[in-house]
């Protein structure tokens, strides 16, 4: 019902006349009569703004899951987003801009992306990062494609420590590219790194840090292995872990990807998030997506611009190694703001608080009869349990008590049924204690 | 003193940048230059969790020795920094943005509110379906509405952008042809006016691009198309209206000819805005349709994203769709993956909050409102073409849809005025520039899409500005003069690559391998 | 073409303004010029209430004949208009704002969130107390904390600004003296450096202002004060530190002398920021204290308001406070009016949401944080005085509190540089100007209050700018050159009064009576 | 706990040294030792941002009254505020600016205020409006003061149709100014306009339109009466009523004041709102508060500035007729945006929707046994009922049912106990029907 078009009847008439037309239908004469929708769309008329509010509030209220105290992770975490970040990230100049094709009027977005790239590169411990991809999974797909393009090889080794849905996305897109994905199994929580029997050397080795069981992998071994066969090492890293852990780049990774939801974006039922992508300088001409670089304007003032554009689909077309056009700039902006808000000390403290809560919660749950560690490798902010009842049942029972208990593990993969439980800096001791008490009842 | 000078001048400790706003038209230092050791903005919830030191929690070998350097700023300086940067950014909320193909319409604020409801934003995507029935209902209803708009049978909402939708569509084609059996098809036909994502997606889909030329009407050359169609062809990708803003009048013949050789038709929905409620891709014969919700359905572009690129398909392709999808059962909505699904194309449910925005826009617009969108988008574009046809070349000067392509071809020859000059001059007149040098088949192209949300008065002002620009070509070289920075040296950015703040400090010879 | 030209040029129907953003540095038309008949943004909830015509609902004689002309714009044009106007506005979030006496500190964004909670914003003020216990608890706790900070016994949160607090305080004095009986007291003593609201409030309080001069230290001349104190004096109003940024060291003597003649001491809390956690008006002997929550407690100034001006009093004045006030009983909080209350000074409970902002700021700051505020506000101001003392005159060049007063007195004599020139030059350097020509007792005064939220780097930049300005007085006349408009003709505004858009059209001779 | 000051320890040392000081205490040597707070404030240490969120959310949750379906008015109404208005009104350039003392960098606020003044003047039907006062009540006080200053008289006639709390504020401030307030009683819902026996001619006649019973007054008669004795006519008008009613200015009012909450501001427990103040041009030099005027800059471009500043307290000091300094600009900005969003047709429709809902609700409630009209004069969007049980009891009972039933009337004033019920455009027929059903039970 609100009319988002400004045209008054008088103006429409005047404009039609200027076009030499006598009615709105005549605007569409190029469309063959047979293809015209006779009675318009089969859809109710528009609603007023307050009516839309009522309807969307009704639907939102039907998601009581949004009120559960969250112990679920699996790549999406319940972190604090402070007021300043929310308000800055939603400034309409950022929200309603397009891709910065005209740098003279897009320095705001460009500089935010330049800062974002710097931050992502630092987290990764690599020299360069792009201006965002869709999400962690698609960044991983792009990393595999980059590796294949860089090496001319088609085989990609994929640790089963990578989140199952990410691997599933990898498989989907491999149907097009024809990559040969070789799964590498886990052993006691971490990737078991033999060279697969089949002798084809890989374009890349893909590993997650921490992996989806929450366990910390030995990135250096993965990198050495990859480099030993002239392949690349790709690490899917949780950016929060950079608060405490040595960076993947430092340990030898050539490409680091990740899910950026962690910084500045609420859980949002899974999106929009932001795919982090960093690489060594050696790969910069194969970098997917957009890249912002610093330069100067005609008066020598510092300025920013998208650069190495020749890589991109709009110029390289069928020869481009990536088709990404629209990306996730606004989420990248929020990421950069949130990380700047955290700052050097805050990032470390955030990671430490996650690790402490994880340890506290893990010990408390393991004290419950019948609850056992699924694996024994060290964890940072997520851990996996073996349960005496199906994990889906535990999740349902705990939801009734007000908790989202975790993410049930891919059945079959780990011998036993398991549940991955995540603890962020938002979880208080009181919440964890209450969760433990409910958990105890739920596994009976 | 520029920020650079200051960085150099600063010998002491602490932040090197100074914070002064745009009104001085000075450049803004990076957040790293505003940083001073020990400053902080962050604070954390009191949790009473034991405060074990890091060394007790993690193996020593994994721990970094020094905290990772991020930046150390106060909330005040962070807010100042980002607010000032926002003043160096053009946006739809500031003015018209006639960027062809991009559909930079005004996005109603009610959609922001809808997407900010805690019942949507706070839901973890792995929450069991019984606890997120509102989400599933919304997604299913959006799916149904998008199908009603496009004339298709079912959709996936997972693809996070148009290009992701294209690739999804091509994988659907692949799966479908595989099931049909027979010799593997290897080619996808694409017109020479197509957007770059189309051929790039084709390659990633494992196909080869076959280009079909446009005829002198600016449409697919039907004869040339027929020559290219054979049983190697998996399908054809078209946008209709095409990137010249022209409706492919022969679409029924194109569809018949493609189907005849067993190919499928893919609709690149970037231009769907033009035909809402007027005609539907499904009725034209398309088998697969992606939509750019960030163009047609008022998801704001966010400076480059996020968007959403749902893909809707005809009945025979429904079983191949990515999954899971929301399905209604006796006890409510549940997630189900179609039997022959190509698999996931997103780790969760797509850009969910962007989907809420589009949904609320569609609810507010309704069938009547969406049709008005198309009518007025087309009216605005035709009016503007009529106003400008004597001033700029209009290579295909016939009734257009929501956009049209002009050219400075003649002006370049007579006075040296290029498309890029028009763009930069327009920036200093207070408008965003049209898309330039696309589609590739028009020299010095200016692709102009006013969108339906701009008023006649704004169009008048835009047209006057474009007239003034054509009349004073001598002003072009110095433009833009009123923007936060002057003409930016793009060549230097590529030559001396500085992709991060840290690269600034590094030795230049090290920069590029 | 300016907006004015365009208005003139437009002969046709519809909107006369065009919408182009600041980047073109053009002026923005008024909303009335963007209006075209028939355009609209509003939509209303579906209610199903019968749609009686106006004539059936109201007596014909009362109805207006034509709808009142407001403006007819689309949401898009409204959003563009206001967003563009926001780009023509300086603000704390854009940069430093060293406006003496105004305490333009950064206001943390968490306070915005607190004041936006629906449990606060959606409550009707007449909701019974049982249903708004959270509100009453918050107000009572804020009251208690303000008393702890000022050293007083109880407060009223009703006054919506500092000046309203002053008048409330004077009415409290009046009521108190009336109860004491005796001859009516008629005078209030005020120092010559006082803010204009003080004498204006005195008049509205039914008193007469007696001015006491400052001595050569910039403080109240104790001897002169003693001469003015007699039993006609109802009280004295002081701000401490005073408007020169100097602490009234003789405050104990001032209090004793005033109390001796039966007068009361009123504390103008505009400068409370300087002494948070260091000393308290109550301990100095003040009987009545107002606070500007919009200065000291991070309520943003909103371009001129809203603020909040609670008044706290010593024990002997508690019974006279305005009411109702929240009081704790067995069954929770309830509203109660003090027995000898002067009555309401606000129709409800004061600027309630502003009170929530201040409350959340105080919670977040805590006792430790508030003390840091004072320490660092004072440190910043002293540092800046030291940096500038050789460049500008500093008439009272001794340790100051949160602000200090400089002067261009010498510079004016040597090179013609006036305070207003410094202000305008600073604007083009990207800073807001200090307060100028106040306090009145300093010639060419520049009253500089950096506040505690500005960093050393910002202070350095500000000091450098002020040095540059003093060094190049010849630049002053043309300043400001980089601002959205150049120097504004204030005289013309008063001479040819155009207080509304409609007055523009009216015949000029009609304008002023 | 969050430190809103940016100073690092190193910087503090450096700055102290620059001031020739060796410690922070030395900054305060001007403060006599005896007056120093020994142990700092008696207040707990600061809380982290998330802790403050928890605490303020706890308090907000203790206001279930905020969820009641609102039929209360009394000067504060439950109107829709659309998303665009909220987002625009909260742009930080408006929120964090000061009073526009430097017009060259304050054109945003100044122009918004110029548009606000134009809109308020149009609503009032008068030539000039100021840039906002605290609220409706304080605007009324200022109007009385202006009238006294304009006429040199001390007596003010005050209709008892003016909301009781406003009259109470008038009385409070009259203690200072010494004005002689003469109440004029109502008769059957509207002011009963005799000239009070006491022969002092009034400075002004103060009347509300509609009055606090919801009844429409005869403004013209009030104006004629005032002018007949050379006094001013001051009308406290509900700005929504301008959507349907002839403006007070047209009917002879010299000053129109009002409560601006109606446009763009939620009910907010009573503030901050905005006091509307419009007058005839004859009174412009006595206008309280700030006034923005149009002018030009040094290049002839249109510009705005605060003008006729000589009226204001900072210049006129003890001779100023008003002490207002900080006002309610931000709320005035929201007012202007909301009214522009409504537009010409929307304002009329809003008023009409209120009037229709009022009629529908009034008829429904009057059909209940024992519920009677308190008075019979015509109403616009609020009406008064006589109830068989105390109105406070009815309000309590209906709150239990989810409704805020109205504002109980000042006891004693109208013979019988009464309740004023308001209906805005937000109330649906279904809500009114449910309210009526609950009301019926509540008055039993
Ligand atoms: C014609 C056309 N096709 C496809 C796309 C790709 O869509 P997206 O940017 O969402 O990936 C675009 C976007 O610019 C387009 O204009
Ligand atoms: C010293 C002083 N006293 C009183 C006031 C008046 O406060 P308000 O503007 O809140 O009415 C001010 C505000 O500018 C001030 O600086």
């Amino acid at each position: 019902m609100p009319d988002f078009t400004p045209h008054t009847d008088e103006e429409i008439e005047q404009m039609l006349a200027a076009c030499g037309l006598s009615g709105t239908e005549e605007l569409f004469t190029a469309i063959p009569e047979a293809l015209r929708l006779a009675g318009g769309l089969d859809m109710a008329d528009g609603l007023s703004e307050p009516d839309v509010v009522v309807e969307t509030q009704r639907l939102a209220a039907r998601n009581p899951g949004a009120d559960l105290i969250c112990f679920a992770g699996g790549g999406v975490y319940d972190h604090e987003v402070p007021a300043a970040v929310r308000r800055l990230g939603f400034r309409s100049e950022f929200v309603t801009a397009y891709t910065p094709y005209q740098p003279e009027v897009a320095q705001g977005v460009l500089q935010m992306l330049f800062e974002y790239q710097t931050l992502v590169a630092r987290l990764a411990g690599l020299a360069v990062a792009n201006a965002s991809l869709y999400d962690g999974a698609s960044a991983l797909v792009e990393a595999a494609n980059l590796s294949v393009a860089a090496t001319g090889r088609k085989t990609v080794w994929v640790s089963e420590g990578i989140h199952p849905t990410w691997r599933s996305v990898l498989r989907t897109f491999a149907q097009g590219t024809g990559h040969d994905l070789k799964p590498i199994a886990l052993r006691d929580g971490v990737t078991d790194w033999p060279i697969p029997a089949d002798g084809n050397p890989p374009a890349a080795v893909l590993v997650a840090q921490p992996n989806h069981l929450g366990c910390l992998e030995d990135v250096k071994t993965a990198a050495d292995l990859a480099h030993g066969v002239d392949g690349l090492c790709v690490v899917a890293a949780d950016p929060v872990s950079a608060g405490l852990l040595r960076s993947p780049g430092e340990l030898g990774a050539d490409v680091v990807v990740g899910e950026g939801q962690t910084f500045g974006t609420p859980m949002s039922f899974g999106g929009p998030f932001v795919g982090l992508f960093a690489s060594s300088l050696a790969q910069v001409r194969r970098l997917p997506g957009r890249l912002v670089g610093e330069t100067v304007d005609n008066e020598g003032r510092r300025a920013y611009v998208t650069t190495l554009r020749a890589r991109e689909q709009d110029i390289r077309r069928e020869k481009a190694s990536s088709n990404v056009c629209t990306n996730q700039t606004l989420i990248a902006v929020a990421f950069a703001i949130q990380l700047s808000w955290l700052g050097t000390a805050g990032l470390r403290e955030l990671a430490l608080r996650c690790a402490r809560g994880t340890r506290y919660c893990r010990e408390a749950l393991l004290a419950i009869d019948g609850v056992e560690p699924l694996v024994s490798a060290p964890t940072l902010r997520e851990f996996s349990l073996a349960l005496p009842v199906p994990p889906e049942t535990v999740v349902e029972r705990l939801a009734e008590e007000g908790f989202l208990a975790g993410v049930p593990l891919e059945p079959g993969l780990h011998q036993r049924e398991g549940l991955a439980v995540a603890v962020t800096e938002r979880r208080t001791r009181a919440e964890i204690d209450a969760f433990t008490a409910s958990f105890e009842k739920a596994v009976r | 003193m520029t920020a650079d000078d200051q960085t150099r001048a600063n010998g002491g400790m602490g932040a090197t940048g100074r914070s002064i706003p745009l009104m001085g038209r000075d450049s803004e230092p990076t957040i790293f230059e505003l940083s001073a050791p020990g400053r902080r903005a962050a604070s954390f919830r009191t949790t009473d969790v034991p405060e074990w030191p890091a060394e007790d929690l993690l193996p020593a070998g994994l721990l970094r020795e020094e905290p990772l350097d991020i930046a150390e700023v106060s909330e005040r300086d962070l807010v100042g920094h980002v607010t000032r940067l926002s003043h160096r950014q053009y946006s739809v909320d500031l003015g018209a943005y006639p960027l062809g193909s991009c559909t930079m319409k005004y996005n109603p604020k009610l959609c922001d509110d809808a997407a900010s409801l805690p019942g949507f934003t706070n839901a973890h995507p792995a929450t069991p379906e019984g606890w997120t029935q509102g989400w599933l209902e919304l997604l299913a209803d959006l799916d149904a509405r998008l199908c009603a708009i496009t004339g298709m049978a079912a959709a996936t909402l997972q693809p996070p952008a148009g290009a992701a939708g294209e690739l999804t569509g091509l994988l659907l084609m692949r799966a479908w042809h595989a099931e049909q059996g027979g010799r593997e098809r290897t080619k996808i036909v694409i017109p020479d006016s197509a957007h770059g994502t189309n051929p790039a997606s084709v390659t990633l889909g494992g196909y080869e691009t076959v280009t079909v030329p446009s005829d002198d009407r600016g449409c697919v050359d039907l004869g040339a198309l027929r020559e290219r169609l054979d049983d190697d062809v998996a399908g054809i990708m078209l946008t209709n209206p095409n990137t010249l803003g022209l409706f492919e009048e022969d679409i029924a013949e194109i569809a018949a000819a493609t189907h005849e050789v067993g190919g499928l038709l893919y609709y690149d929905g970037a231009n769907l805005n033009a035909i809402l409620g007027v005609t539907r891709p499904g009725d034209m014969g398309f088998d697969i349709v992606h939509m750019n919700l960030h163009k047609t359905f008022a998801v704001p572009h966010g400076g480059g994203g996020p968007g959403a690129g749902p893909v809707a398909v005809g009945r025979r392709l429904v079983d191949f769709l990515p999954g899971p999808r929301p399905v209604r059962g006796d006890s409510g909505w549940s997630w189900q993956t179609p039997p022959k699904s190509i698999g996931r194309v997103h780790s969760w449910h797509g850009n969910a909050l962007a989907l809420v925005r589009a949904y609320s826009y569609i609810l507010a617009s309704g069938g009547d409102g969406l049709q008005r969108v198309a009518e007025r988008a087309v009216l605005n574009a035709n009016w503007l073409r009529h106003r400008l046809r004597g001033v700029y070349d209009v290579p295909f000067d016939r009734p257009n849809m929501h956009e049209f392509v002009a050219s400075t071809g003649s002006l370049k020859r007579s006075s040296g005025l290029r498309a890029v000059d028009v763009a930069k001059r327009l920036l200093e007149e207070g408008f965003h520039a049209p898309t330039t040098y696309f589609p590739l088949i028009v020299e010095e192209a200016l692709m102009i899409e006013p969108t339906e949300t701009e008023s006649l008065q704004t169009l008048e002002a835009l047209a006057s500005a474009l007239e003034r620009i054509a009349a004073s070509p001598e002003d072009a070289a110095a433009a833009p003069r009123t923007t936060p920075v002057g003409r930016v040296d793009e060549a230097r950015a590529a030559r001396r690559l500085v992709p991060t703040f840290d690269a600034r400090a590094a030795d230049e010879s090290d920069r590029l391998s």
Side-chain angles (χ1 to χ4, degrees), chain A, chain B:
Chain A
M1 181 166 76
D3 187 352
F4 302 131
T5 64
H7 304 64
T8 67
D9 292 345
E10 216 177 346
E11 288 170 345
I12 291 174
E13 255 176 61
Q14 183 190 327
M15 293 174 79
L16 285 169
C19 297
L21 302 175
S22 60
T24 300
E25 332 68 62
E26 290 184 17
L27 289 167
F28 297 100
T29 43
I31 304 181
E33 198 56 43
L35 297 181
R36 302 261 198 105
L37 265 181
L41 288 172
D42 181 17
M43 196 181 295
D45 280 357
L47 300 181
S48 73
E49 170 164 345
D51 289 347
V52 174
V53 171
V54 167
E55 175 60 8
T56 50
Q57 283 180 341
R58 180 187 71 78
L59 290 167
R62 292 196 63 214
N63 299 318
D67 296 328
L68 300 177
I69 296 174
C70 185
F71 287 87
V76 183
Y77 300 90
D78 181 26
H79 291 290
E80 209 74 64
V81 183
V85 174
R86 252 178 298 111
R87 283 168 195 265
L88 292 172
F90 277 108
R91 283 193 57 89
S92 73
E93 294 87 343
F94 299 130
V95 174
T96 73
Y98 194 71
T99 301
Y101 283 153
Q102 297 291 345
E104 294 84 1
V105 293
Q107 291 297 304
V109 164
L110 285 162
Q111 185 170 336
M112 285 305 309
L113 287 174
F114 182 75
E115 295 181 8
Y116 165 84
Q117 290 174 183
T118 303
L119 291 167
V120 172
R122 287 185 183 178
L123 290 168
L126 290 168
V128 48
N130 76 6
S132 89
L133 292 168
Y134 304 136
D135 63 357
S138 78
L140 188 66
V141 172
E142 297 280 3
N145 293 354
L146 176 149
S147 304
V148 167
T151 59
R153 300 172 181 173
K154 279 250 155 184
T155 304
V156 177
W157 294 355
V158 184
S159 159
E160 287 190 340
I162 291 172
H163 197 279
T165 62
W166 292 29
R167 278 181 281 133
S168 145
V169 173
L170 264 180
R171 281 192 301 273
T172 302
F173 289 107
Q175 294 166 45
T177 51
H179 299 167
D180 183 14
L181 306 176
K182 294 262 176 262
I184 315 287
L186 303 186
R187 177 203 290 250
D188 199 22
V190 294
T191 317
D192 194 15
W193 281 122
I195 300 182
D198 150 0
N200 274 348
V205 157
L206 274 45
V207 61
Q209 178 70 329
N211 67 30
H212 83 280
L213 302 179
C215 299
L216 295 172
E217 294 271 2
D218 181 356
V219 170
K220 184 147 191 336
T221 298
D224 291 347
L225 189 71
H227 297 159
V229 294
D230 292 328
L232 302 185
C233 173
V234 175
V235 178
D238 175 358
V240 160
S241 65
L244 287 173
L245 303 187
R246 293 170 68 191
S247 65
E250 202 185 326
L251 299 169
D254 302 284
V255 177
V256 173
V257 300
E259 175 49 70
Q261 174 268 333
T262 297
F263 293 128
T265 296
M267 297 188 289
S268 314
F269 208 50
F273 295 163
V274 53
L276 314 178
F277 194 103
S279 81
S280 61
L281 215 42
Q283 304 302 336
V284 70
R285 293 195 184 279
R286 275 183 284 266
L287 210 63
R290 235 159 260 131
L291 179 67
V292 173
E294 188 189 294
T295 182
V296 293
D297 78 353
N298 59 339
E299 296 181 18
R301 287 174 297 201
R302 202 196 281 183
Y304 303 91
V305 67
T306 54
T307 192
L308 303 189
R309 294 259 296 118
R311 299 163 299 115
E312 290 186 49
Q313 43 69 31
D314 57 330
I315 296 178
R316 239 174 124 72
R317 299 179 74 84
E318 60 265 35
K319 300 210 182 57
S321 60
S322 165
N323 67 342
V324 171
C325 177
T326 291
N327 58 20
Q328 310 278 123
T329 300
L330 190 65
I331 315 294
V333 168
F335 180 101
I337 300 172
Q338 171 89 7
L339 204 45
S340 301
W341 177 84
L342 281 167
T344 302
L347 175 63
R348 182 173 194 280
E349 183 167 347
L350 173 66
L352 190 53
R353 283 171 172 259
C354 290
R356 288 170 178 161
T358 299
R359 155 101 169 254
Y360 182 78
C361 185
R362 185 165 183 268
E363 286 180 359
L365 294 180
L366 286 176
I368 298 172
D369 233 27
V371 175
E372 284 170 35
L374 188 78
V375 293
S376 67
T379 63
L380 181 58
R381 65 150 169 181
E382 195 161 6
F383 57 92
S384 296
L385 297 172
L387 304 178
V389 281
E392 289 75 12
T393 310
V394 173
V395 169
E396 277 294 343
R397 286 181 184 166
L398 279 162
E400 296 290 345
E401 304 289 317
F403 300 99
L404 185 60
V407 179
L409 293 171
E410 207 177 5
L413 194 63
H414 311 281
Q415 293 92 42
R416 292 191 281 177
E417 306 243 47
L419 182 73
V421 177
V423 186
T424 68
E425 88 287 3
R426 297 193 72 210
R427 295 287 75 79
T428 63
R429 182 176 191 147
E431 287 172 340
I432 298 171
D433 291 346
F435 177 56
T436 306
S438 297
F439 207 100
E440 183 153 19
K441 280 185 279 169
V443 294
R444 266 192 218 132
Chain B
M1 176 146 98
T2 67
D4 283 347
D5 294 339
Q6 210 194 348
T7 306
R8 276 190 294 275
N10 181 80
M13 65 175 196
T16 58
R18 61 179 178 152
S19 311
I20 66 160
L22 174 63
M23 282 178 178
R25 282 197 71 231
D26 219 336
S27 57
E28 173 67 16
T30 62
I31 193 76
F32 312 108
E33 291 155 292
L34 294 173
S35 169
R39 222 171 256 170
R40 71 183 282 171
S43 65
F44 295 93
R45 170 173 303 208
T46 305
T47 62
D48 296 322
V49 168
E51 301 193 351
W52 292 294
E55 298 67 34
D56 287 7
L57 296 165
L58 290 159
L62 294 175
L63 291 175
R64 64 166 63 245
E65 269 143 40
E66 291 291 321
L68 182 64
D69 186 21
I70 299 294
E72 300 181 71
V73 294
S74 64
E75 180 175 308
R76 187 274 176 281
D77 279 349
L78 178 61
V79 167
H81 176 64
V82 179
T83 307
R84 287 188 295 271
L85 283 179
S86 77
H87 276 229
R88 294 169 71 80
Q89 179 62 46
Y90 195 96
S91 65
V92 170
D93 278 11
L94 280 167
Y97 223 123
L99 205 57
S101 205
C102 303
T103 315
M104 294 299 286
K105 60 170 75 174
Y106 169 72
N107 304 149
K109 298 297 171 199
L110 71 89
C111 307
D112 293 21
D113 271 18
S116 307
L117 291 169
F120 294 130
T121 61
N122 293 352
H124 189 286
T127 312
E129 49 206 19
W131 298 77
T132 52
Q133 288 288 296
W135 258 118
L136 276 78
E137 182 182 340
L138 183 152
L139 297 176
D141 193 27
L142 176 60
D143 184 325
R145 285 171 188 263
L146 294 176
C147 288
I149 290 166
T150 54
M152 309 306 286
T156 174
L157 304 177
Q158 284 186 19
E166 293 169 20
L167 185 47
T168 302
L170 289 158
L171 296 177
L172 287 166
M173 281 197 194
R174 175 170 285 284
W176 189 79
H177 284 303
E179 206 197 42
Q180 307 314 301
R183 198 151 68 85
E184 198 188 329
R185 292 171 183 256
T186 55
K187 297 180 193 160
I188 300 284
V189 180
I190 290 183
D192 55 3
S193 63
H195 192 259
T197 50
N198 293 182
S201 298
V202 165
T203 303
L204 288 169
Y207 288 110
E208 206 178 292
T209 295
V210 176
T211 304
V212 58
S214 304
D215 61 17
D216 54 12
R217 298 168 309 160
C219 290
V220 169
D221 182 326
L222 199 55
L225 173 64
R226 289 218 162 91
E227 282 165 25
R228 283 159 179 77
L229 288 176
D230 58 29
D231 62 1
D232 280 346
V233 169
I236 177 169
M237 294 180 87
L238 286 181
T239 175
N240 193 13
N242 64 25
T243 58
L244 293 163
L246 302 172
F247 194 84
E248 297 280 357
E249 303 189 13
D250 300 333
I251 184 61
E253 291 75 14
I254 294 172
T258 306
H259 284 150
E260 196 159 316
V261 299
L264 297 176
L265 277 86
Y266 182 93
Y267 183 86
D268 172 347
N271 296 329
L272 188 65
N273 209 51
I275 59 166
L276 292 170
V278 178
T279 180
R280 308 189 303 174
D283 302 339
M284 301 177 204
F286 284 95
D287 301 286
I288 309 174
V289 175
H290 95 248
M291 287 145 276
N292 296 68
L293 302 192
H294 42 303
K295 297 182 198 294
T296 314
F297 297 104
V299 175
H301 282 75
V311 170
V313 296
R315 197 153 311 281
R316 54 186 174 161
L317 286 158
V318 173
D319 285 350
F320 297 91
L321 282 173
R325 305 178 57 235
V327 174
R328 172 135 217 164
D330 288 343
S331 57
W333 295 95
S334 62
W335 291 112
Q336 243 171 57
T337 297
K340 305 172 192 164
S341 175
I342 59 167
R344 286 184 167 282
V345 298
H346 187 269
S347 42
W348 301 102
H349 318 300
N351 280 345
L353 292 182
L355 300 172
V356 174
R357 287 175 182 274
Y359 182 69
S360 59
Y361 177 75
I362 292 173
L363 281 190
S365 300
D368 56 335
L370 292 176
Q371 186 172 336
R372 266 197 314 269
V373 163
E375 289 170 1
R376 294 173 184 186
V378 173
L379 178 60
N380 276 4
N382 275 286
W383 183 91
L384 200 55
R385 178 175 54 82
H386 274 270
R387 254 302 283 273
L388 295 175
R389 64 204 299 192
V391 184
Y392 292 88
D393 298 344
V394 179
F396 302 96
D397 193 15
R398 56 193 188 82
N400 54 270
M401 302 292 282
H402 64 303
E403 63 192 359
F404 69 100
V405 177
S407 162
T408 65
S410 305
L411 285 164
K412 187 180 169 193
R413 284 179 286 277
S414 65
S415 65
L417 193 74
R418 297 163 304 156
V420 61
D421 298 324
V422 175
K424 302 303 179 194
R425 280 278 287 118
L426 213 42
L427 299 182
E428 63 177 12
E429 292 277 345
F431 290 97
H432 200 276
T435 299
T436 51
Y437 301 102
F438 181 75
L440 307 177
I441 57 172
V442 173
E443 61 159 352
E444 299 295 332
L446 290 167
M447 190 181 190
I448 304 178
E449 180 180 11
T451 85
E452 73 279 5
T453 56
E454 296 305 334
S455 69
L456 176 56
Q457 290 70 27
T458 301
L459 298 185
E460 295 262 16
L462 175 61
S464 312
L466 284 165
E467 285 164 0
R468 274 197 302 281
I469 291 168
S472 56
E474 66 284 2
D475 284 354
R481 288 155 293 201
T482 58
T483 46
V485 295
R487 204 164 306 191
V488 167
D489 188 343
E490 306 201 6
R492 173 178 147 136
R495 208 170 56 237
R496 306 177 52 192
L497 183 68
V498 183
T500 66
F501 179 73
D502 302 320
R504 302 187 70 219
D507 181 11
E508 275 175 41
S509 60
D510 280 4
R511 276 192 203 147
L512 268 179
S513 57

